Amino acid sequence: MTGAQRTDRLHNQPPLDVNRIRQDFPILSRLVHGKKLVFLDSGASAQKPRAVIDAIKNCYENEYANIHRGVYYLSQVATEAFEEARRKVQRFLNAAESREIIFVRGGTEAINLVAQTYGRKNIKAGDEVIISAMEHHANIVPWQMLREQTGLVLKVVPINDDGEFLLQEYEKLLSPRTKLVAVTHVSNALGTITPVREIIRLAHAKGALVLLDGCQAVPHTPIDVQELDCDFYAFSAHKLYGPSGIGVLYGKAQILEAMPPYQGGGDMIVSVTFEHTEYNGIPHKFEAGTPHISGAVGLGAAIDYVTAIGLDRIAAHEDRVLHYATERVKEIKGLRLIGTAKEKAGILSFTLPNVHPHDIGTILDKQGIAVRVGHHCAQPVMDRFDVPATARASLAVYNTNEEIDALIAGLHKVREIFG
Ligand code: 7TS
């Protein structure tokens, strides 16, 4: 989808009844420091709707046992619930088969898994891995670790002053030695939506695989891995209104089948003797040990929740709030927006002159407003914009223009205090 197509699609979405939606999230009605909570840190982790909390509770109250091993009723029910969650993820990403969905601890583990299995087997000294200048540390450090193990060459696609991915520079970096391109779909520090279709097309033309870090994309945009034609897609459930401690690695079946296992243990084997172990097929080959059973169930409920509302409608709503916020922050004297890409999703990163972002965060917190301050686990992005840190408001389906008004009032207060 091009930028113009995305804008059209968003404009055609009917408005959401946000006040109705807010009632689905119990935590949103609590007070913080005696003030109404204004939660603007969903990029770090989203709050949970009642449907997700209830699904987890029901799992432990009624349908819990270990999976893939019991002949008894509860184990079969729990196994079915776990495997149904996998099928929900499959439909959510439009993967061709449910065995292409691997449950992991989160986006971080998904990327490490690819580095340590696909990477260690296929990437040799002098081979190249390409990332971008706007990656989260989770999509930098695993490749540096693999570099120590293999001697690969890590190349970084630069970004412009708006925080946009430079496709032409990327094209120049691609070479016959490029084995893998690992880029974020949406930047957590800037909000930039990267041109993933072109990135994938150009990589495939050179015979390289593509991993997309979808942690910040899945809550804000519908994903179709077959249409994208990406080779791997990684995300965490907790940013998608699901529980923490579980996430997903999607991989094309053929590629996953050829990869060595990640960790060894129960469930990932067919048979074990001291002389020889035969590994299980995918996805179980990559899921050693007892998994996060209730987490998968909770993720399934989160997928049902966002699907019932509609990802396009969620994206359209967040886009409206983001535009409102982008206009309103202009009235704060000296405020510098970091990340002004034309294609953005749900993130407003900024600095104020002579005020450390930590002070911004602390003063806002006293007003009940939660924003994240710091380097957002994307230190190279901070270096690129020559700031030590930013304050970041990140949006979700439950945020409103009134909450942006509260943020603006809070920022006026920061200005008053710091002059
Ligand atoms: N990739 C991106 C783009 C992310 O935003 C994050 C987490 C991760 C990977 C890692 O996800 P995890 O669930 O495995 O930790 N980002 C953030 C953030 O922006 N604020 O806190 C965590």
Side-chain angles (χ1 to χ4, degrees):
M1 194 172 19
T2 64
Q5 283 169 332
R6 179 172 177 270
T7 309
D8 269 1
R9 194 150 133 185
L10 296 189
H11 281 160
N12 290 330
Q13 296 302 317
L16 281 185
D17 184 350
V18 183
N19 288 327
R20 235 312 281 104
I21 284 171
R22 289 179 67 81
Q23 287 167 16
D24 295 336
F25 292 80
I27 209 168
L28 296 181
S29 57
R30 68 157 293 170
L31 301 180
V32 168
H33 303 310
K35 301 271 168 48
K36 241 178 99 176
L37 168 66
V38 174
F39 191 75
L40 293 171
D41 194 23
S42 301
S45 201
Q47 299 298 350
K48 316 305 169 200
R50 173 75 66 199
V52 168
I53 299 167
D54 285 350
I56 295 167
K57 188 163 173 274
N58 182 58
C59 172
Y60 284 126
E61 283 187 354
N62 295 308
E63 300 191 336
Y64 186 75
N66 209 334
I67 60 166
H68 295 152
R69 55 201 81 193
V71 291
Y72 57 88
Y73 176 78
L74 273 184
S75 176
Q76 288 172 9
V77 169
T79 303
E80 179 47 30
F82 187 79
E83 292 302 329
E84 175 57 18
R86 197 190 306 277
R87 289 189 290 273
K88 284 181 184 177
V89 177
Q90 176 203 349
R91 290 192 289 271
F92 181 65
L93 296 179
N94 193 33
E97 303 176 64
S98 66
R99 65 196 184 112
E100 296 180 316
I101 305 302
I102 298 162
F103 284 122
V104 289
R105 276 196 301 123
T108 300
E109 186 171 50
I111 298 169
N112 277 279
L113 189 160
V114 174
Q116 289 304 315
T117 62
Y118 177 83
R120 281 187 86 160
K121 179 167 181 199
N122 298 293
I123 300 179
K124 308 275 179 275
D127 285 343
E128 296 160 1
V129 172
I130 296 181
I131 59 174
S132 86
M134 64 178 117
E135 300 308 321
H136 185 280
H137 296 166
N139 197 28
I140 302 174
V141 185
W143 307 114
Q144 293 174 326
M145 291 164 66
L146 185 63
R147 178 171 63 188
E148 282 168 24
Q149 293 158 347
T150 64
L152 67 83
V153 176
L154 192 59
K155 292 178 159 181
V156 182
V157 181
I159 55 179
N160 66 16
D161 290 343
D162 288 318
E164 291 171 320
F165 184 96
L166 292 173
L167 262 179
Q168 286 183 341
E169 298 302 317
Y170 164 63
E171 224 176 326
K172 284 186 219 155
L173 292 180
L174 280 164
S175 89
R177 294 221 67 173
T178 310
K179 278 282 172 1
L180 187 84
V181 175
V183 291
T184 195
H185 192 170
V186 171
S187 153
N188 73 315
L190 303 166
T192 310
I193 302 173
T194 55
V196 285
R197 276 172 190 73
E198 290 87 337
I199 291 171
I200 292 165
R201 189 177 55 76
L202 291 166
H204 284 173
K206 287 275 195 265
L209 300 191
V210 179
L211 177 151
L212 294 181
D213 173 357
C215 284
Q216 296 290 342
V218 286
H220 309 295
T221 184
I223 308 294
D224 182 334
V225 289
Q226 291 187 75
E227 193 233 315
L228 283 171
D229 198 28
C230 57
D231 302 289
F232 300 107
Y233 200 94
F235 74 91
S236 301
H238 67 94
K239 296 179 201 285
L240 184 68
Y241 312 102
S244 57
I246 184 142
V248 168
L249 172 68
Y250 156 81
K252 286 179 181 164
Q254 215 185 330
I255 299 171
L256 292 175
E257 274 171 346
M259 280 160 47
Y262 181 44
Q263 295 175 333
D267 246 22
M268 54 78 73
I269 52 85
V270 173
S271 69
V272 178
T273 64
F274 287 117
E275 291 70 38
H276 178 73
T277 288
E278 190 185 334
Y279 301 133
N280 209 337
I282 61 167
H284 309 295
K285 181 170 77 175
F286 298 105
E287 294 179 352
T290 300
H292 190 355
I293 301 164
S294 66
V297 169
L299 169 56
I303 286 174
D304 288 342
Y305 182 79
V306 292
T307 307
I309 299 172
L311 255 306
D312 275 326
R313 288 183 78 189
I314 293 174
H317 167 71
E318 292 169 348
D319 201 53
R320 283 189 279 266
V321 179
L322 181 68
H323 274 94
Y324 180 71
T326 307
E327 277 307 305
R328 288 237 39 208
V329 291
K330 289 181 183 158
E331 66 188 65
I332 309 294
K333 218 174 73 201
L335 183 140
R336 177 184 172 204
L337 274 183
I338 309 280
T340 46
K342 279 192 261 337
E343 297 301 322
K344 267 187 80 169
I347 278 171
L348 206 72
S349 239
F350 58 90
T351 58
L352 287 175
N354 309 320
V355 192
H356 194 279
H358 281 97
D359 293 324
I360 301 176
T362 307
I363 295 167
L364 290 178
D365 177 55
K366 292 285 178 294
Q367 318 303 312
I369 304 167
V371 296
R372 184 170 174 196
V373 296
H375 54 57
H376 315 295
C377 301
Q379 269 182 323
V381 174
M382 303 297 113
D383 294 344
R384 168 65 179 78
F385 289 90
D386 204 18
V387 292
T390 72
R392 181 190 70 176
S394 52
L395 303 176
V397 62
Y398 38 68
N399 291 123
T400 63
N401 284 359
E402 291 69 41
E403 291 180 304
I404 299 303
D405 294 339
L407 171 69
I408 301 297
L411 291 174
H412 278 302
K413 196 158 236 139
V414 175
R415 280 266 58 117
E416 269 167 40
I417 294 169
F418 282 86

